[in-house]
């Protein structure tokens, strides 16, 4: 609910358990008065009072200078160059050549529901009653630049979304040099910052540091959200834990260059900003032209990091992921990649399909290597026609055989890439991302295709459209296997060259929009060398994302724990593979915390492995709803316990729980009590595996003693509890 108290000039934005309060102060400055647990109060003007550092925090000459300075006030959207020396959310260079920016309140509108910010992806409402939206209209009187701050609060979940639209209402052109999606000033620096760092094969590991004076943060300038830092951050109040205390989450719905920064200033406050990375960014606006920022999703809870994650999960399941597979059961797939790499033909895939069917799988996915003349990664990206030397008789013949066996069929694409050795490159040598007079770097033998261009997008769309429309394809894996360097487009004039990175992301979104509309029945799975674009922008188009190319279950634990800070199990692509150390059972138990599937040669399994797989597939069906729609509780985090870890899913009515524990490393004199969370303490629960009945209180406070149940490297146990 959103209310405006016109005598106090205060906006109150309430979710069930949180309040976000904005005040319009003297000289129409827009100030943040509070964000945190729900407050019934309206008048929080006292919260804006600050002591400033004499003349070193300059102030507006029309307000008594001891009362107010933008340098210390809790600014709702911080401006560059007008007395606030902390990190700025916006900087607009005007026709005089300076980028002093100063926005003040002009008006507002409160409405039901939530408007789309297309062509950018955003959280949406299924019904207008789910949310209310506030637009605050602000203006820089000198340049005529108009800034709309857009807020949506949800009535059934503790989330607030924010984005910003800038319109050049002046007479001269301007250039936006910084435009962050959100700025949040908190009156303390009593926090730890949690972010998700990583690399290829080790994405989204949790990292925690104490906030310090100055600027700290994470960013990507790789052209994608990246393996290396995720557009997610959380502030956890000192003393808060996984289960209790203040946690502020912030996540950007964007798949390109981003920046998150937190600055603790001299007076001990914290400012967070999240948005498009200003490095190599600017956007030119002629009079009356507008620019819309991506959307940021804020979550506040006093139920610790676990509570924060569960809010993100619920919001993303119901209000971000779209399409047929939002709630429909996803097919259990087997993917050819780790079993064959580029070495397959129709016969091999048909043999895979037969074996997969016998085991109860639903879909065969043919990965990289089916098109052009591709037998390794040196060529053919961009040539999206079937390699009939490999697939004799063509794609439809293969699909017919797979379908006859009773399996669906999926295919791999890497639409935003081009190999220098491709027919597409020879026909259009200026279609790759490059800048004049400079040799381009190469990554995995490929260039990036310039999808900021409409003609390029049309070509790729048409090529892919003919394959997808002429064949019965149920699934598409959309890959992206390098980052962008020497970033530029042959079509962009020099003065707009810094628009390239954002135009590239808009081009990707446009392609994804066209495909998801043209093929609403196809299940899309995003991928970028594993989870290099695991972000909410991608989740808007594809309900699942391949979490990592590392499929070893022990390595996967930190990856899945970290990913789960923000993203639900139903979005995390996880497969059992033939790889490495641990046994099939643990591989299955870990992959069940995700979309589940296989990535191995099913013709080479031992009878023992086949029996285990039959059991796993049974578990997949049995626990599908619990894992996809239940509440995740992280029980023991592998980032902090080096020997073991555990997690659980609890049904929303608390009548059912599934707990999984894994031994990562044998611990001498191992003692292991597994304590559950999120159960009803007064209920009795029967453990399916042991037949024993325990109270919820016992399971959560004493825990179940697994000391003699699992202890060796790689052993794991899944326990299913059902309320009596
Ligand atoms: C990326 C993906 C893999 C596979 C290969 C194919 O690395 O993450 O799963 O699809 O590309 O080249």
């Amino acid at each position: 609910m959103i209310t405006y108290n016109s005598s106090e000039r205060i906006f109150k934005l309430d979710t069930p358990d949180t309040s976000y309060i904005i005040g319009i102060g003297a000289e129409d400055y827009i100030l943040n008065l509070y964000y945190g647990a729900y407050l019934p109060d309206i008048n929080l003007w006292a919260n804006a009072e600050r002591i400033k550092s004499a003349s070193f925090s300059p102030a507006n000459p029309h307000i008594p200078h001891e009362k107010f300075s933008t340098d210390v006030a809790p600014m709702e959207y911080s401006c560059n160059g007008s007395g606030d020396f902390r990190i700025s959310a916006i900087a607009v260079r005007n026709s005089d050549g300076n980028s002093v920016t100063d926005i003040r309140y002009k008006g507002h509108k409160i409405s039901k529901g939530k408007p789309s910010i297309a062509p950018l992806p955003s959280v949406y409402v299924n019904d207008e009653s789910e949310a209310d939206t506030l637009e605050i209209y602000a203006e820089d009187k000198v340049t005529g630049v108009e800034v709309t701050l857009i807020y949506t609060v949800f009535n059934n979940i503790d989330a607030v979304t924010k984005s910003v639209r800038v319109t050049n209402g002046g007479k001269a052109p301007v250039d936006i040099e910084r435009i962050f999606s959100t700025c949040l000033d908190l009156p303390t620096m009593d926090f730890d910052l949690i972010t998700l760092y990583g690399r290829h094969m080790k994405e989204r590991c949790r990292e925690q540091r104490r906030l310090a004076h100055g600027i700290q943060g994470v960013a990507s300038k790789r052209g994608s959200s990246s393996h290396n830092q995720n557009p997610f951050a959380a502030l956890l109040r000192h003393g808060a834990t996984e289960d209790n205390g203040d946690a502020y989450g912030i996540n950007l719905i964007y798949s390109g260059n981003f920046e998150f920064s937190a600055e603790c200033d001299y007076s001990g406050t914290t400012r967070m900003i999240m948005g498009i990375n200003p490095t190599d960014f600017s956007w030119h606006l002629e009079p009356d032209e507008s620019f819309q920022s991506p959307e940021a999703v804020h979550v506040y809870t006093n139920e610790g990091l676990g509570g924060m994650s569960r809010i993100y999960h619920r919001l993303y399941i119901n209000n971000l992921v779209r399409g047929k597979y939002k709630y429909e059961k996803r097919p259990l797939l087997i993917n050819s990649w780790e079993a064959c790499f580029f070495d397959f033909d129709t016969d091999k895939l048909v043999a895979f399909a037969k074996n997969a069917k016998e085991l109860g799988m639903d879909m065969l996915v043919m990965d990289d290597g089916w098109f052009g003349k591709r037998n390794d990664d040196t060529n053919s990206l961009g040539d999206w026609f079937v390699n009939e030397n490999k697939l004799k008789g063509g794609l439809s013949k293969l699909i017919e055989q797979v379908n006859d066996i009773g399996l669906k069929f999926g295919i791999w694409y890497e639409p935003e890439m081009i190999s220098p050795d491709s027919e597409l490159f020879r026909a259009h040598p200026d279609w790759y991302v490059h800048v004049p007079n400079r040799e381009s770097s190469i990554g995995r033998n490929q260039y990036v295709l310039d999808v900021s261009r409409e003609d390029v997008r049309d070509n790729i769309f048409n090529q892919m459209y003919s394959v997808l429309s002429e064949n019965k394809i149920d699934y598409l894996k959309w890959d992206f296997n390098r980052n962008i360097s020497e970033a530029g487009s042959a079509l962009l004039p020099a003065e707009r060259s810094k628009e390239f990175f954002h135009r590239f992301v808009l081009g990707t979104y446009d392609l994804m929009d066209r495909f998801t509309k043209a093929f609403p029945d196809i299940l899309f799975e995003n991928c970028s060398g594993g989870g290099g674009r695991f972000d909410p922008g991608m989740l808007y188009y594809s309900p699942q994302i391949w979490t990592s190319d590392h499929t070893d279950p022990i390595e996967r634990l930190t990856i899945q724990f970290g990913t789960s800070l923000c993203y639900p199990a139903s979005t995390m692509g996880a497969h059992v593979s033939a790889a490495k150390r641990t046994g099939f059972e643990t591989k299955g138990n870990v992959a069940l915390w995700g979309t589940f599937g296989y990535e191995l040669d099913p013709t080479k399994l031992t009878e023992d492995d086949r029996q285990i797989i039959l059991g796993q597939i049974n578990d997949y069906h049995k626990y599908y709803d619990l894992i996809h729609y239940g509440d995740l509780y992280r029980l023991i985090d592998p980032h902090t316990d080096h020997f073991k870890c555990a997690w659980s899913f609890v049904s929303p009515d608390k009548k059912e729980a599934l707990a999984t524990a894994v031994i990562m490393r044998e611990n001498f004199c191992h003692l292991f009590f597994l304590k559950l969370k999120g159960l009803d303490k007064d209920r009795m629960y029967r453990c399916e595996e042991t037949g024993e009945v325990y109270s919820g209180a016992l399971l959560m406070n004493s825990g179940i003693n697994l000391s003699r149940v699992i202890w060796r490297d790689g052993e794991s146990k899944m326990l299913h509890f059902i309320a009596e």
Side-chain angles (χ1 to χ4, degrees):
M1 198 170 81
I2 299 176
T3 49
Y4 178 60
N5 183 314
S6 54
S7 52
E8 294 293 342
R9 302 225 295 173
I10 283 183
F11 295 97
K12 190 156 181 289
L13 292 70
D14 292 328
T15 68
D17 290 318
T18 73
S19 295
Y20 188 110
I21 300 178
I22 302 166
I24 308 302
E27 290 284 307
D28 294 332
Y29 284 109
I30 309 166
L31 305 172
N32 185 288
L33 302 183
Y34 176 79
Y35 181 37
Y38 175 81
L39 299 180
D41 313 63
I42 288 283
N43 190 343
L44 278 95
W45 273 116
N47 284 6
E49 287 170 13
R50 300 276 194 274
I51 292 175
K52 72 185 184 74
S53 171
S55 56
F56 293 97
S57 286
N60 183 321
H62 305 292
I63 308 177
H65 71 91
E66 67 282 3
K67 287 230 173 213
F68 180 87
S69 161
T70 54
D71 196 27
V72 285
M75 304 306 293
E76 180 58 24
Y77 194 64
S78 56
C79 294
N80 179 63
S82 45
D84 183 348
F85 296 102
R86 295 166 290 176
I87 40 177
S88 22
I90 186 166
V92 180
R93 184 173 292 275
N94 55 43
S95 53
D96 295 330
N98 68 72
S99 45
V100 175
T101 309
D102 184 359
I103 63 163
R104 312 288 179 88
Y105 172 80
K106 216 174 75 171
H108 70 269
K109 185 174 108 189
I110 296 172
S111 51
K112 284 240 137 299
K114 182 175 192 298
S116 144
I117 54 165
L120 284 163
S122 61
V123 164
Y124 60 88
V125 288
N126 302 285
D127 183 290
E128 290 233 311
S129 64
E130 277 179 12
D132 294 294
T133 294
L134 165 68
E135 293 188 333
I136 295 183
Y137 306 120
E139 186 190 27
D140 184 329
K141 284 212 171 84
V142 172
T143 58
V145 165
E146 292 159 7
V147 176
T148 305
L149 308 176
I150 308 167
Y151 305 80
T152 296
V153 288
F154 284 79
N155 296 321
N156 54 2
I157 192 155
D158 292 315
V160 179
T161 63
K162 291 167 72 176
S163 74
V164 177
R165 191 170 53 242
V166 175
T167 302
N168 183 1
K171 293 198 165 48
V174 296
D175 291 286
I176 303 171
E177 293 183 331
R178 294 169 74 83
I179 176 167
F180 279 76
S181 301
T182 178
C183 170
L184 179 64
D185 277 7
L186 295 170
T188 168
M189 54 183 282
D190 180 24
F191 293 110
D192 275 4
L193 170 63
I194 293 176
T195 52
L196 299 173
Y197 83 98
R199 58 168 162 78
H200 179 222
M201 309 275 261
K202 197 167 177 54
E203 297 88 337
R204 288 171 302 289
C205 297
R206 173 178 157 173
E207 191 159 48
Q208 186 159 342
R209 56 189 124 158
R210 198 182 172 94
L211 282 186
H213 286 101
I215 299 174
Q216 48 250 285
V218 293
S220 164
K221 53 176 193 166
R222 293 171 173 269
S224 67
S225 48
S226 88
H227 299 84
N228 310 76
Q229 294 289 350
N230 196 260
F232 164 81
L235 293 189
L236 189 65
R237 187 158 326 245
H238 292 154
T241 63
E242 174 72 17
D243 305 310
N244 288 299
D246 288 345
Y248 289 89
I250 179 167
N251 189 208
L252 188 68
I253 306 183
Y254 193 56
S255 310
N257 293 346
F258 74 92
E259 180 185 311
F260 165 84
S261 290
E263 179 170 13
C264 302
D265 76 338
Y266 70 75
S267 64
T269 67
T270 302
R271 168 174 293 167
M272 294 198 272
I273 56 171
M274 173 75 102
I276 292 177
N277 191 334
T279 303
D280 277 334
F281 169 84
S282 77
W283 198 273
H284 185 75
L285 287 184
E286 289 291 327
D288 294 330
E289 284 183 349
S290 294
F291 181 87
Q292 169 68 49
S293 84
E295 182 169 281
V297 183
H298 285 271
V299 165
Y300 163 79
T301 177
N302 54 22
E303 293 181 5
L305 275 184
M308 178 205 70
S309 299
R310 288 185 287 279
I311 294 171
Y312 274 114
H313 296 175
R314 204 141 294 289
L315 183 73
Y316 287 176
I317 289 170
N318 296 316
N319 299 85
L320 179 63
V321 163
R322 302 174 303 157
K324 174 172 162 170
Y325 287 101
K326 176 175 173 177
Y327 297 126
E328 201 168 295
K329 195 165 181 180
R330 318 252 176 92
L332 192 163
L333 65 87
I334 180 162
N335 177 298
S336 65
W337 180 245
E338 285 193 29
C340 315
F341 297 107
F342 298 96
D343 180 21
F344 59 81
D345 58 17
T346 303
D347 291 346
K348 196 165 184 178
L349 293 177
V350 170
F352 268 47
K354 277 190 190 134
N355 280 269
K357 178 66 190 171
E358 279 168 24
L359 291 163
M361 300 178 196
D362 303 318
M363 180 161 74
L364 174 75
V365 175
M366 175 179 66
D367 210 279
D368 192 356
W370 59 268
F371 51 91
K373 53 168 186 163
R374 190 152 164 109
N375 289 315
D376 55 34
D377 63 15
T378 58
N379 60 72
S380 298
L381 294 169
D383 295 346
W384 299 112
F385 47 83
V386 178
N387 179 349
E388 298 220 8
N389 290 327
K390 260 182 181 170
L391 304 183
K392 300 251 161 28
L395 188 54
S396 21
K397 179 139 183 263
L398 167 64
I399 297 178
E400 254 166 47
Q401 292 182 73
V402 172
N403 288 167
D404 285 349
I405 290 165
L407 252 55
K408 294 175 185 292
F409 183 83
I411 197 166
W412 180 95
Y413 275 102
E414 198 175 353
E416 304 141 276
M417 295 290 161
I418 183 166
S419 305
D421 180 6
S422 66
E423 292 184 19
L424 190 70
F425 189 82
R426 285 183 280 277
H428 301 284
D430 66 338
W431 275 15
Y432 72 113
V433 172
H434 66 284
V435 292
N437 308 318
R438 199 176 287 280
E439 188 179 19
S440 288
S441 308
I442 197 105
R444 207 195 189 201
N445 305 304
Q446 64 202 53
Y447 291 142
V448 182
L449 188 63
D450 181 5
V451 299
S452 74
R453 292 173 61 148
E454 202 175 349
D455 53 351
V456 172
R457 293 200 298 277
D458 285 347
N459 176 295
I460 292 299
F461 182 81
N462 292 337
Q463 284 199 60
M464 288 174 63
Y465 185 89
S466 45
V467 176
L468 298 174
S469 58
E470 284 159 22
N471 294 284
K472 207 177 156 317
I473 289 171
D474 300 297
Y475 163 106
L476 193 154
K477 179 172 169 186
W478 185 303
D479 217 331
F480 185 84
N481 277 320
R482 66 160 286 183
N483 290 137
I484 304 178
S485 55
E486 294 84 24
S489 168
L491 288 195
L492 272 182
E495 65 276 14
R496 286 190 181 268
S497 61
K498 284 191 164 192
E499 296 178 10
F500 172 75
F501 273 116
H502 184 60
R503 287 183 182 276
F504 183 90
V505 178
L506 291 177
T508 295
Y509 289 153
D510 175 57
L511 268 179
M512 289 184 169
D513 187 56
R514 287 162 76 175
F515 280 113
T516 47
K517 283 190 175 128
F519 301 100
D521 289 337
I522 290 185
L523 170 61
F524 287 83
E525 175 152 358
N526 190 262
C527 176
S528 171
R533 265 201 313 201
F534 205 121
D535 61 61
M538 287 296 147
L539 287 178
Y540 186 72
Y541 301 99
S542 56
Q544 58 195 52
I545 301 178
W546 182 226
T547 311
S548 178
D549 275 345
H550 214 317
T551 53
D552 173 81
I554 302 301
E555 288 303 320
R556 270 289 180 126
L557 292 168
T558 42
I559 298 171
Q560 294 183 186
F561 264 82
T563 305
S564 80
L565 272 189
C566 191
Y567 307 104
S570 58
T571 64
M572 299 188 338
H575 298 166
V576 174
S577 78
K580 329 277 160 34
R581 353 172 213 185
T582 33
F584 257 104
E585 252 173 82
T586 294
K587 286 174 180 169
N589 291 347
V590 174
L592 268 176
W593 179 1
T595 59
F596 201 72
Y598 289 84
E599 189 134 347
L600 43 72
D601 186 341
T603 65
K604 291 194 179 136
L605 295 168
T606 65
E607 191 44 39
D608 283 354
D609 291 343
R610 288 175 74 84
Q611 288 309 318
I612 295 174
I613 289 177
L614 287 169
Q616 288 170 342
I617 292 179
N618 191 43
D619 286 344
Y620 166 79
H621 292 295
K622 182 169 166 189
Y623 300 127
Y624 187 92
D625 284 351
L626 191 52
I627 291 168
H628 278 242
Y629 307 116
D631 287 321
L632 171 76
Y633 288 85
R634 289 178 292 261
L635 305 177
I636 304 171
D637 193 320
H639 294 91
T640 44
D641 188 317
H642 298 297
F643 298 100
K644 59 190 184 301
C645 72
W647 63 96
S648 70
F649 290 94
V650 179
S651 62
D653 62 7
K654 297 183 186 299
K655 286 188 177 160
E656 197 187 350
L658 179 70
T660 308
V662 181
I663 304 296
M664 301 182 293
R665 203 146 61 93
E666 190 168 337
N667 188 5
F668 183 63
C669 282
H670 155 89
L671 183 64
F672 186 2
F673 282 72
L674 179 66
K675 288 190 194 178
L676 273 71
K677 294 177 186 171
L679 302 179
D680 182 343
K681 70 175 174 28
D682 298 321
R683 275 197 121 101
M684 300 305 287
Y685 292 87
R686 188 170 47 81
C687 175
E688 220 181 357
E689 287 68 26
T690 63
E692 300 280 339
V693 176
Y694 311 92
S695 66
L698 179 145
L699 291 171
M700 293 193 290
N701 295 309
S702 161
I704 238 182
N705 189 349
L706 296 182
S707 306
R708 297 172 68 98
V709 179
I710 47 172
W711 67 87
R712 291 195 189 89
D713 281 16
E715 283 185 337
S716 65
K717 188 82 191 160
M718 241 171 31
L719 296 169
H720 184 212
F721 299 91
I722 303 158
E724 291 272 86

